[in-house]
Amino acid sequence: MPHPTAAPPPGTPFVALAAVAKSFGAVRALRGVDLDVRSGECLGLAGHNGAGKSTLMQVLVGNVSPDEGRFTVQGEDVAGRLTVARARQAGIACVFQELSLCPNLSVLENARIRHASLKGFGWRGRAARLITRTLDEIFPGHGIAPQALVSDLPLGQRQMVEIASVFAQGDHEAPLRLVILDEPTSSLDNSVAAQLLAHVRRFVSAGGSVILISHILGEILSTCDRIAVMSDGRVVDLREAGAFTRASLVEAMGHVVSHEAGETLVSAEAGRRGAVVASATTPKGGSIRLEARRGEIVGLAGLAGHGQTSLLVLLHNAAQGRSRYAAVTGRVAFVAGDRQTDGVFPLWSIGGNVTVRSLSRLGRFGLVDPAREKRLAEEWRTRIKIRTPDMDDNILTLSGGNQQKALFARALGSDAEVILMDDPMRGVDIGTKQEVYALVRAEADKGRTFIWYTTEFDELKSCDHTYVFRSGRIVAELGRHELTEARVLQSSFEGEAA
Amino acid sequence: MSAAESETRGARRRLPPMPQAFSFIGAGLIFAATLAFTGGAGGGQILSTALTFATMYVIVGLGQMFVITTGPGNVDLSIPATIALAGAVAMTVMGGEDGSIALGLLAALGTGVAVGCFNYALIRLLQIPPIIATLSASFLVQSSAIAYGRGLRVRPPPAFADFATGRVMGVPYLAIATLLLSVLMAVLLHRTVYGRSVAAIGQNSRAAHLAGIRVDRVRFLTYVLSAVLAGLCGAVLAGFSGGSSLNMGEEYLLASIAVVVVGGSSVSGGQSNVSGLWGASLFLYLLVTMLNTFGVGAGLRYLLTGLIIIAIITLAGGPRAGRA
């Protein structure tokens, strides 16, 4: 593979950001980021979910335009003017977490999509040679045929193709200067991951730059020259990699650890009491079994997408039929976090969306009684404060937070004894959150059980017991008195122990 | 009808208030055009005949409507074959005896249950898309009808034939019975857990599952319901036309889908309209009558029928286009 040509001397900033800020509505994703990426270095980026890493990367590749701040590429100010095409001209490319390959096309056809210069007569042959050459270089012994359909490849090989098509350097293309790798090794096995990291070192020693985002701390510590830690939309720590240890890195990520030891100690309970109403193991194995007792609020923690939602769906299905992995006694209700996909019925009124889970209870002579339906809807309108003039209005007339309240009302207003919550506070304003927390606590005291997946540490503090997920397994369980952000992070990130 | 009320209530600010209005207005306009052409002659006769034939459309349309309401991709293409088989079974079981009418009707409904179960077995167990599953099932069902009927034409029992063709003050008995059936179906759709589940699944089947709805069970019942109504239509049609014939279901394939869509139900599911089925069925029949009255040839008649259906769907479906 041709390496960056005419690279500037190592150490000069290739990209520099100063006080870059970006908001999406009320959410401030970036609150003033200062960061530079030098030529010939690998920069590690660490931080938990929602720290702003992904938004920052979207800014660098030109997908997102920052609201404020200075942004230069090779000294040229590009703030607000960087497009995807210009970023590519400048030699910036990204391997995204969600694979961007077209599954219905072959490996070489996917290479053609990224490399527009592969055109004219015989492009298939040239595309096949380009992608094979790059795969050979990064992943010797990869065993991927360029004619293979991407949908036929296992996930790991798809990731390899994705990486190789980014690193591939076609003829007449702008030299590749900065490659962003967003969780590149999450679907690769250890030896292939090692091949990739070795290639990263070769690429930077030839003068290129790499930004490596990974939740496997060992990988960041061993591969990167410098490590930046992000939290709450800012870079909160930036040091030479050698100046970090695993422990100090975890500590830096959780810099907001609140010191409320007194409060938590007071409520530290003496063991768990009550009948077990739900239990489950993760299908991927793991030694820890999730148990939820009557009246408990059980938290599911860990990084997003590590098997928490799947476990909730498993528990939900177990209540309807049988499951090899989970057992639930009693009725369940599900509070969706992904409202559009899992929750809202867009053609129905707010009332209809609230009562759908309870219809069989609202019957008379086998028919749903509109008066009782209306009463249930009105009761929850006041109890959970859904802000609408009329529960008969369409659900989509509500703001996101109020739609979420309607989904809570659907579950809380039902006869369910176990309530599964799939990170339901996403994009919900703080006022609503406080109202719902209080309601959840009150309902738990009445004997309902809540199993609550959340990506926000603060919400775990409301939980009696917390299970931490990593790579589809439960890797730690913490009682209320043992819960600290550092311990949750430690369990979420530890790589080699698994 | 309470059905129409609750629909407009649930759909507030999203849909035009009366999606079924188009079909009734269309039917009225076409009727007026026909009368203008004939100079007002034969109006009562046309309307009375229209009610009879519209009734058949409505019966199969009700079943198809439930199926289409369960969401994109759901459609029952086995209706014509089921009509043929159930008609043959009903006539054979009745054997021309007034005493066996109830048994014959039950046999027709039972045929529907069997076809519905078979359809859903293909869809669920073999994971075949509904459009292919019901189409291939219809070949099997049609073959059964051929084998079963062996070209015999059994005449319906006199009492059954009288009922199917009889009228009171110009209104066919069939139309009155079907109106009752429609009310029943509207109640089923809007006031029962099953009906609400159908509408929920049609909007978002994953959300419906997570809201505790037994999605598979509801879809199964829906395909059975559609086939049962097709079976009923088969028996009634055979009674009306003096015996069953193998091709008597033919025109109901497209008609069953057309009346659902023209009647204001959403093609993408989740939203259905019982009263609109009547408007659409009258519209469809009167349209053919009008073109016949005008003396239009068969080719042009099909062409105009197609264009007019497209036009009314575009008009009625316009504001709903936002929902993918």
Side-chain angles (χ1 to χ4, degrees), chain A residues 313 316-317 320 334 340-349 356-357 359-360 366-370 373 390 392-394 396-397 410, chain B residues 9-15 187 190-193 196-197 199-201 203-204 206-214 269-271 323:
Chain A
V313 172
H316 179 265
N317 295 346
Q320 278 198 356
F334 189 92
Q340 301 325 320
T341 318
D342 298 346
V344 163
F345 296 108
L347 296 176
W348 277 354
S349 66
V356 61
R357 175 66 184 69
L359 289 177
S360 49
L367 297 182
V368 178
D369 183 350
E373 216 186 329
D390 189 347
D392 288 338
D393 283 353
N394 185 276
L396 299 182
T397 60
R410 180 192 292 175
Chain B
R9 183 158 52 85
R12 193 148 144 189
R13 300 188 193 179
R14 291 271 296 165
L15 297 174
V187 170
H190 298 286
R191 290 284 304 278
T192 65
V193 176
R196 295 286 188 88
S197 303
I201 292 169
Q203 294 173 61
N204 185 339
R206 184 175 158 86
H209 170 66
L210 291 174
I213 292 169
R214 307 286 175 110
Q271 171 81 21
R323 200 177 109 78

Coordinates of all heavy atoms in Angstrom, one line a residue, chain A residues 313 316-317 320 334 340-349 356-357 359-360 366-370 373 390 392-394 396-397 410, chain B residues 9-15 187 190-193 196-197 199-201 203-204 206-214 269-271 323:
Chain A
V313 N -35.8 -8.1 26.3 CA -36.7 -8.7 25.4 C -36.9 -10.2 25.7 O -38.0 -10.8 25.7 CB -36.2 -8.5 23.9 CG1 -37.1 -9.3 23.0 CG2 -36.3 -7.0 23.6
H316 N -39.1 -10.5 28.6 CA -40.5 -10.2 28.1 C -41.1 -11.4 27.4 O -42.2 -11.8 27.7 CB -40.5 -9.0 27.1 CG -41.8 -8.7 26.6 ND1 -42.2 -9.1 25.4 CD2 -42.8 -7.9 27.1 CE1 -43.5 -8.7 25.2 NE2 -43.8 -7.9 26.2
N317 N -40.3 -12.1 26.6 CA -40.8 -13.3 25.9 C -41.0 -14.4 26.8 O -41.9 -15.2 26.6 CB -39.8 -13.7 24.8 CG -39.7 -12.6 23.7 OD1 -40.6 -11.7 23.6 ND2 -38.7 -12.7 22.8
Q320 N -44.3 -14.5 28.2 CA -45.4 -14.9 27.3 C -45.4 -16.4 27.0 O -46.4 -17.0 26.7 CB -45.3 -14.2 26.0 CG -45.9 -12.8 26.0 CD -46.1 -12.2 24.6 OE1 -45.8 -12.8 23.6 NE2 -46.7 -11.0 24.6
F334 N -43.4 -3.6 29.2 CA -42.1 -3.2 28.6 C -42.2 -1.7 28.4 O -43.2 -1.2 27.8 CB -41.9 -3.9 27.3 CG -40.5 -3.7 26.7 CD1 -39.5 -4.6 27.0 CD2 -40.3 -2.7 25.8 CE1 -38.2 -4.4 26.4 CE2 -39.0 -2.5 25.3 CZ -38.0 -3.4 25.6
Q340 N -39.9 5.2 18.6 CA -40.5 5.0 17.2 C -40.5 3.5 16.9 O -41.4 3.0 16.3 CB -39.7 5.8 16.2 CG -39.7 7.3 16.4 CD -41.0 7.9 17.1 OE1 -42.1 7.5 16.7 NE2 -40.8 8.8 18.0
T341 N -39.4 2.8 17.2 CA -39.3 1.4 16.8 C -40.1 0.5 17.7 O -40.7 -0.5 17.3 CB -37.8 1.0 16.8 OG1 -37.1 2.0 16.2 CG2 -37.6 -0.3 16.0
D342 N -40.0 0.7 19.0 CA -40.5 -0.3 20.0 C -41.8 0.2 20.7 O -42.3 -0.6 21.5 CB -39.4 -0.6 21.0 CG -38.2 -1.2 20.4 OD1 -38.3 -1.6 19.2 OD2 -37.2 -1.2 21.1
G343 N -42.2 1.4 20.6 CA -43.2 1.9 21.5 C -44.5 2.5 20.9 O -45.6 1.9 21.1
V344 N -44.3 3.5 20.1 CA -45.5 4.3 19.8 C -46.3 3.7 18.7 O -45.7 3.2 17.7 CB -45.0 5.8 19.4 CG1 -46.1 6.5 18.7 CG2 -44.6 6.5 20.7
F345 N -47.6 3.8 18.8 CA -48.5 3.5 17.7 C -48.9 4.8 17.0 O -49.8 5.5 17.6 CB -49.7 2.7 18.1 CG -49.3 1.3 18.7 CD1 -49.4 1.1 20.0 CD2 -48.9 0.3 17.8 CE1 -49.0 -0.2 20.5 CE2 -48.5 -0.9 18.3 CZ -48.6 -1.2 19.7
P346 N -48.3 5.1 15.9 CA -48.4 6.5 15.4 C -49.8 6.9 14.9 O -50.1 8.1 14.9 CB -47.4 6.6 14.2 CG -47.3 5.1 13.8 CD -47.5 4.3 15.0
L347 N -50.7 6.0 14.6 CA -52.0 6.4 14.1 C -53.0 6.6 15.3 O -54.1 7.0 15.0 CB -52.6 5.3 13.2 CG -51.8 5.1 11.9 CD1 -52.4 3.9 11.1 CD2 -51.8 6.3 11.0
W348 N -52.6 6.2 16.5 CA -53.6 6.3 17.6 C -53.5 7.5 18.4 O -52.5 8.2 18.4 CB -53.4 5.0 18.5 CG -54.1 3.8 18.0 CD1 -54.9 3.7 16.9 CD2 -53.9 2.5 18.5 NE1 -55.3 2.5 16.7 CE2 -54.8 1.7 17.7 CE3 -53.2 1.9 19.5 CZ2 -54.9 0.3 17.9 CZ3 -53.4 0.6 19.8 CH2 -54.2 -0.2 19.0
S349 N -54.5 7.7 19.2 CA -54.5 8.8 20.1 C -53.6 8.5 21.3 O -53.1 7.4 21.5 CB -55.9 9.1 20.7 OG -56.3 7.9 21.4
V356 N -53.5 0.5 25.5 CA -53.3 -0.8 24.6 C -52.9 -2.0 25.5 O -53.3 -3.1 25.2 CB -52.4 -0.5 23.5 CG1 -51.0 -0.1 23.9 CG2 -52.3 -1.7 22.5
R357 N -52.1 -1.8 26.5 CA -51.6 -2.9 27.3 C -52.6 -3.4 28.2 O -52.5 -4.5 28.8 CB -50.3 -2.4 28.0 CG -49.7 -3.4 29.0 CD -49.1 -4.6 28.3 NE -48.6 -5.5 29.3 CZ -49.4 -6.2 30.1 NH1 -50.7 -6.1 30.1 NH2 -48.9 -7.1 31.0
L359 N -56.2 -3.4 27.6 CA -57.5 -3.6 27.0 C -58.3 -4.8 27.6 O -59.5 -4.7 27.8 CB -57.4 -3.7 25.5 CG -56.9 -2.5 24.8 CD1 -56.8 -2.7 23.3 CD2 -58.0 -1.4 25.0
S360 N -57.6 -5.9 27.8 CA -58.3 -7.1 28.2 C -58.9 -6.9 29.6 O -59.9 -7.5 30.0 CB -57.4 -8.3 28.2 OG -56.2 -8.0 28.9
G366 N -66.9 -9.0 26.9 CA -66.0 -9.2 25.8 C -65.7 -8.0 24.9 O -64.9 -8.0 24.0
L367 N -66.4 -6.8 25.2 CA -66.1 -5.6 24.4 C -65.3 -4.6 25.3 O -65.6 -4.5 26.5 CB -67.4 -5.0 24.0 CG -68.3 -5.8 23.1 CD1 -69.5 -5.1 22.7 CD2 -67.5 -6.2 21.8
V368 N -64.5 -3.9 24.7 CA -63.7 -2.9 25.4 C -64.7 -1.7 25.7 O -65.4 -1.3 24.9 CB -62.6 -2.3 24.5 CG1 -61.8 -1.2 25.3 CG2 -61.6 -3.5 24.2
D369 N -64.7 -1.3 27.0 CA -65.6 -0.3 27.4 C -64.9 1.1 27.3 O -64.0 1.4 28.0 CB -65.9 -0.6 28.9 CG -67.0 0.4 29.4 OD1 -67.2 1.4 28.7 OD2 -67.5 0.2 30.5
P370 N -65.4 1.9 26.3 CA -64.8 3.2 26.1 C -64.7 4.1 27.3 O -63.8 4.9 27.5 CB -65.7 3.9 25.0 CG -66.5 2.8 24.4 CD -66.6 1.7 25.5
E373 N -62.0 3.0 29.5 CA -60.7 3.3 28.8 C -60.4 4.7 29.0 O -59.2 5.1 29.3 CB -60.9 3.0 27.3 CG -59.7 2.5 26.6 CD -60.0 2.4 25.1 OE1 -61.1 2.2 24.6 OE2 -59.0 2.5 24.4
D390 N -56.0 17.2 25.4 CA -57.0 16.2 25.2 C -56.3 14.9 24.9 O -55.5 14.8 24.0 CB -57.8 16.6 24.0 CG -59.0 15.7 23.8 OD1 -59.1 14.7 24.4 OD2 -59.9 16.1 23.0
D392 N -57.5 12.5 23.6 CA -57.9 12.0 22.3 C -57.1 12.5 21.1 O -57.3 12.1 20.0 CB -59.4 12.3 22.1 CG -60.3 11.5 23.0 OD1 -59.8 10.4 23.4 OD2 -61.4 11.9 23.2
D393 N -56.2 13.4 21.4 CA -55.3 13.9 20.3 C -54.3 12.8 19.9 O -54.0 11.9 20.7 CB -54.5 15.2 20.8 CG -55.4 16.4 20.8 OD1 -56.5 16.3 20.3 OD2 -54.9 17.4 21.3
N394 N -53.9 12.9 18.7 CA -52.9 11.9 18.2 C -51.6 12.0 19.1 O -51.2 13.0 19.5 CB -52.6 12.2 16.8 CG -51.7 11.1 16.2 OD1 -50.5 11.2 16.3 ND2 -52.3 10.1 15.6
L396 N -48.6 11.7 18.3 CA -47.5 12.5 17.7 C -47.6 14.0 17.9 O -46.7 14.7 17.6 CB -47.4 12.2 16.2 CG -47.1 10.7 15.9 CD1 -46.9 10.5 14.4 CD2 -45.9 10.2 16.6
T397 N -48.8 14.4 18.5 CA -48.8 15.8 18.8 C -48.0 16.2 20.1 O -47.8 17.3 20.4 CB -50.3 16.3 19.1 OG1 -50.8 15.5 20.2 CG2 -51.2 16.1 17.9
R410 N -48.5 3.5 30.0 CA -49.0 2.2 29.4 C -48.5 1.1 30.4 O -49.3 0.2 30.7 CB -48.4 2.0 28.0 CG -48.8 0.7 27.4 CD -48.0 0.4 26.2 NE -48.3 1.4 25.1 CZ -47.6 1.4 23.9 NH1 -46.6 0.5 23.7 NH2 -47.9 2.3 23.0
Chain B
R9 N -61.8 9.9 15.6 CA -61.3 10.4 16.9 C -59.8 10.0 17.1 O -58.9 10.8 17.4 CB -62.1 9.8 18.0 CG -61.7 10.2 19.4 CD -62.9 10.0 20.3 NE -63.4 8.7 20.3 CZ -62.9 7.7 21.0 NH1 -61.9 7.9 21.8 NH2 -63.4 6.5 21.0
G10 N -59.5 8.7 16.8 CA -58.2 8.2 16.9 C -57.2 8.8 16.0 O -56.0 8.9 16.3
A11 N -57.7 9.3 14.8 CA -56.8 9.7 13.8 C -56.7 11.2 13.7 O -56.2 11.7 12.8 CB -57.3 9.1 12.5
R12 N -57.2 11.9 14.7 CA -57.3 13.3 14.7 C -56.0 14.0 14.3 O -54.9 13.6 14.8 CB -57.7 13.8 16.1 CG -58.2 15.2 16.1 CD -59.2 15.3 17.2 NE -59.1 16.6 17.9 CZ -59.8 16.9 18.9 NH1 -60.6 15.9 19.4 NH2 -59.7 18.0 19.5
R13 N -56.0 15.0 13.5 CA -54.9 15.8 13.1 C -53.9 15.0 12.2 O -52.9 15.5 11.9 CB -54.1 16.3 14.3 CG -54.9 17.2 15.2 CD -54.1 17.8 16.2 NE -54.9 18.4 17.2 CZ -54.5 19.1 18.3 NH1 -53.2 19.2 18.4 NH2 -55.3 19.6 19.2
R14 N -54.3 13.8 11.8 CA -53.4 13.1 10.9 C -54.1 12.7 9.6 O -53.4 12.7 8.6 CB -53.0 11.8 11.6 CG -52.1 12.0 12.8 CD -50.7 12.0 12.4 NE -50.2 10.7 11.9 CZ -49.1 10.6 11.2 NH1 -48.4 11.6 10.9 NH2 -48.8 9.4 10.8
L15 N -55.4 12.5 9.6 CA -56.0 12.0 8.5 C -57.2 12.9 8.1 O -57.7 13.6 9.0 CB -56.6 10.6 8.7 CG -55.6 9.5 9.1 CD1 -56.3 8.2 9.5 CD2 -54.7 9.3 7.9
V187 N -67.8 -3.7 15.1 CA -67.7 -3.9 16.6 C -66.4 -4.7 16.9 O -65.6 -4.4 17.8 CB -68.9 -4.6 17.2 CG1 -68.7 -4.9 18.6 CG2 -70.1 -3.6 17.1
H190 N -63.3 -2.5 16.3 CA -63.1 -1.3 17.1 C -63.3 -1.5 18.6 O -62.8 -0.7 19.4 CB -63.9 -0.1 16.7 CG -63.7 0.3 15.3 ND1 -62.5 1.0 15.0 CD2 -64.3 0.1 14.1 CE1 -62.5 1.2 13.6 NE2 -63.6 0.7 13.1
R191 N -64.0 -2.5 19.0 CA -64.4 -2.6 20.4 C -63.8 -3.9 21.1 O -64.1 -4.1 22.2 CB -65.9 -2.6 20.5 CG -66.5 -1.2 20.2 CD -66.3 -0.2 21.4 NE -66.8 -0.7 22.6 CZ -68.1 -0.7 23.0 NH1 -69.0 -0.2 22.2 NH2 -68.4 -1.1 24.2
T192 N -63.1 -4.7 20.3 CA -62.6 -5.9 21.0 C -61.1 -5.9 21.0 O -60.4 -5.1 20.3 CB -63.0 -7.2 20.2 OG1 -62.3 -7.2 19.0 CG2 -64.5 -7.4 20.1
V193 N -60.5 -6.6 22.0 CA -59.1 -6.7 22.1 C -58.5 -7.2 20.8 O -57.5 -6.7 20.3 CB -58.7 -7.6 23.2 CG1 -57.2 -7.8 23.3 CG2 -59.3 -7.1 24.5
R196 N -58.4 -4.3 18.2 CA -57.4 -3.4 18.5 C -56.0 -3.9 18.2 O -55.1 -3.2 17.8 CB -57.5 -3.0 20.0 CG -58.8 -2.2 20.3 CD -58.8 -0.8 19.8 NE -59.9 -0.1 20.4 CZ -59.9 0.5 21.5 NH1 -58.8 0.6 22.2 NH2 -61.0 1.2 21.9
S197 N -55.9 -5.2 18.5 CA -54.6 -5.8 18.3 C -54.2 -5.8 16.8 O -53.1 -5.6 16.4 CB -54.6 -7.3 18.8 OG -54.9 -7.3 20.1
A199 N -55.1 -3.6 14.6 CA -54.7 -2.2 14.2 C -53.3 -1.9 14.8 O -52.5 -1.2 14.1 CB -55.7 -1.2 14.7
A200 N -53.0 -2.4 16.0 CA -51.7 -2.1 16.6 C -50.6 -2.8 15.8 O -49.6 -2.2 15.5 CB -51.7 -2.6 18.0
I201 N -50.9 -4.1 15.4 CA -49.8 -4.8 14.7 C -49.6 -4.2 13.3 O -48.4 -4.1 12.9 CB -50.3 -6.3 14.5 CG1 -50.3 -7.0 15.8 CG2 -49.4 -7.0 13.5 CD1 -51.0 -8.4 15.8
Q203 N -49.7 -1.1 12.6 CA -48.9 0.1 12.8 C -47.4 -0.2 13.1 O -46.5 0.5 12.6 CB -49.4 1.0 13.9 CG -50.8 1.6 13.6 CD -51.4 2.3 14.8 OE1 -50.8 3.3 15.2 NE2 -52.5 1.8 15.3
N204 N -47.2 -1.2 13.9 CA -45.8 -1.5 14.4 C -45.8 -2.8 15.1 O -46.2 -2.9 16.3 CB -45.3 -0.3 15.3 CG -43.9 -0.5 15.7 OD1 -43.3 -1.6 15.6 ND2 -43.3 0.6 16.1
R206 N -43.5 -4.8 16.1 CA -42.6 -5.0 17.2 C -43.1 -4.3 18.4 O -43.1 -4.9 19.5 CB -41.2 -4.4 16.8 CG -40.1 -4.7 17.9 CD -38.7 -4.2 17.4 NE -37.9 -4.0 18.6 CZ -37.2 -4.9 19.2 NH1 -37.2 -6.2 18.7 NH2 -36.4 -4.7 20.2
A207 N -43.6 -3.1 18.3 CA -44.2 -2.4 19.4 C -45.4 -3.2 19.9 O -45.6 -3.3 21.2 CB -44.5 -1.0 19.0
A208 N -46.1 -3.8 19.0 CA -47.3 -4.5 19.5 C -46.9 -5.7 20.3 O -47.5 -6.0 21.4 CB -48.1 -5.0 18.2
H209 N -45.9 -6.4 19.9 CA -45.3 -7.5 20.6 C -44.9 -7.1 22.0 O -45.2 -7.7 23.0 CB -44.2 -8.2 19.8 CG -43.4 -9.2 20.6 ND1 -43.9 -10.4 21.0 CD2 -42.1 -9.2 21.1 CE1 -43.0 -11.1 21.7 NE2 -41.9 -10.4 21.7
L210 N -44.2 -6.0 22.1 CA -43.7 -5.5 23.3 C -44.8 -4.9 24.2 O -44.6 -4.7 25.4 CB -42.6 -4.5 23.1 CG -41.3 -5.1 22.5 CD1 -40.3 -4.0 22.2 CD2 -40.6 -6.0 23.5
A211 N -45.9 -4.6 23.6 CA -47.1 -4.2 24.4 C -47.9 -5.3 24.9 O -49.0 -5.2 25.3 CB -47.9 -3.2 23.6
G212 N -47.4 -6.5 24.7 CA -48.1 -7.7 25.2 C -49.1 -8.4 24.3 O -49.8 -9.2 24.7
I213 N -49.1 -7.9 23.0 CA -50.0 -8.5 22.1 C -49.4 -9.8 21.5 O -48.3 -9.8 21.1 CB -50.4 -7.5 21.0 CG1 -51.2 -6.3 21.6 CG2 -51.2 -8.2 19.9 CD1 -51.3 -5.2 20.7
R214 N -50.3 -10.9 21.5 CA -49.8 -12.1 20.9 C -49.8 -12.0 19.4 O -50.9 -12.4 18.8 CB -50.6 -13.3 21.4 CG -50.7 -13.4 22.9 CD -49.4 -13.8 23.5 NE -49.4 -13.8 24.9 CZ -49.4 -14.9 25.7 NH1 -49.4 -16.1 25.1 NH2 -49.4 -14.9 27.0
G269 N -51.5 -0.4 6.3 CA -52.0 -1.1 7.6 C -52.3 -0.2 8.7 O -52.0 1.0 8.7
G270 N -52.9 -0.8 9.7 CA -53.2 0.0 11.0 C -54.5 0.8 11.0 O -54.9 1.3 12.0
Q271 N -55.1 1.0 9.8 CA -56.2 1.9 9.8 C -57.2 1.3 8.8 O -57.0 1.1 7.7 CB -55.7 3.3 9.2 CG -56.7 4.3 8.9 CD -57.2 5.0 10.1 OE1 -56.4 5.0 11.1 NE2 -58.3 5.6 10.1
R323 N -47.0 8.6 5.6 CA -46.6 7.4 6.4 C -46.1 6.3 5.5 O -46.8 5.9 4.6 CB -47.9 6.9 7.1 CG -47.5 6.1 8.3 CD -48.8 5.7 9.0 NE -49.0 4.2 8.8 CZ -48.4 3.3 9.5 NH1 -47.5 3.6 10.3 NH2 -48.7 2.0 9.3

